[in-house]
């Protein structure tokens, strides 16, 4: 549903009129007035699930979103920002804020042009503070993000660096990375990466290939 130029007013109204709201889906809202400065008011709610897919959040919006997350620290369990035009520039502050949320289980970044620079940012977060890593995040969706084998090599190193990671201690809760529809998945070196990650992180589901009816729906069952 397109809400057009009323986007900012809508976010303010939701914050004011729905104080008990815990789940909000604004997918394909068609905002044209850059409502993201009102994100702080929206995140004052005790939201558990928030989806902003295809809202053209962009890097500027991602930064405002990240700042609001850091300030309000809502009890979000899932955040979906699919196809929002976020590049590595917007990913860095957003990922930093997301990994500081104690409640966040699912971060869905599908369809954003993150590229290899974005993959390096994810890898750097994995290899960062050994007590935080990706925080409470259990599942990250990086499907269709334009990541080549070069970017995936950085992610692999972060996942397989046993000395730094002390086994699974560095990324204690991460159990799923969705990676389908990236150029890396068709590279000759991809099977070796999958095998190496599986050997070092047997508890991690690296989801990368759709088969059968799943291929038609675009979902991707786990393959290690």
């Amino acid at each position: 549903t397109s809400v057009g130029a009323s986007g900012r007013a809508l976010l303010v109204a939701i914050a004011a009129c729905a104080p008990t709201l815990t789940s909000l889906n604004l997918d394909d809202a068609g905002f044209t007035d850059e409502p993201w400065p009102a994100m702080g008011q929206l995140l004052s709610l005790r939201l558990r699930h928030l989806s902003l897919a295809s809202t053209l959040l962009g890097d500027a919006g991602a930064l405002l979103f990240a700042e609001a997350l850091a300030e309000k620290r809502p009890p979000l369990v899932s955040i979906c920002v699919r196809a929002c035009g976020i590049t590595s520039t917007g990913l860095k502050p957003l990922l930093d804020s997301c990994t500081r949320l104690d409640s966040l289980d699912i971060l869905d970044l599908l369809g954003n042009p993150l590229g290899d620079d974005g993959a390096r940012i994810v890898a750097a977060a994995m290899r960062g503070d050994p007590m935080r890593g990706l925080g409470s995040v259990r599942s990250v969706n990086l499907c269709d993000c334009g990541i080549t084998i070069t970017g995936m090599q950085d992610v692999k190193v972060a996942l397989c660096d046993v000395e730094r990671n002390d086994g699974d201690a560095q990324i204690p809760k991460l159990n799923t990375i969705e990676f389908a529809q990236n150029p890396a998945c068709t590279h000759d070196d991809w099977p070796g990466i999958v095998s190496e990650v599986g050997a070092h992180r047997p508890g991690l589901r690296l989801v990368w290939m759709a088969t059968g009816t799943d291929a038609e729906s675009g979902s991707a069952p786990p393959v290690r």
Side-chain angles (χ1 to χ4, degrees), residues 62-63 65-67 69 79 81 86-101 104 106-109 114 117-127 132-137 139-142 174:
L63 176 58
F65 188 20
E67 291 173 347
L69 287 171
I79 293 174
V81 286
I86 300 170
T87 73
S88 59
T89 300
L91 175 65
K92 193 175 190 309
L94 181 59
L95 188 61
D96 186 63
S97 290
C98 285
T99 57
R100 294 177 186 275
L101 296 178
L104 191 63
I106 299 169
L107 179 58
D108 191 341
L109 296 159
L114 305 178
D117 287 341
R120 293 186 190 99
I121 289 168
V122 174
M126 291 177 180
R127 302 181 69 186
R132 182 160 65 94
L134 289 180
S136 66
V137 176
S139 176
V140 179
N141 189 340
L142 294 171
L174 183 66

Side-chain angles (χ1 to χ4, degrees), residues 87-88 91 95 109 112-127 142 145-156 158 179 182 184:
T87 73
S88 59
L91 175 65
L95 188 61
L109 296 159
N112 287 290
L114 305 178
D116 292 341
D117 287 341
R120 293 186 190 99
I121 289 168
V122 174
M126 291 177 180
R127 302 181 69 186
L142 294 171
C145 286
I147 300 172
T148 74
I149 200 69
T150 301
M152 188 55 198
Q153 288 283 4
D154 290 313
V155 174
K156 180 207 74 173
F179 209 75
N182 279 293

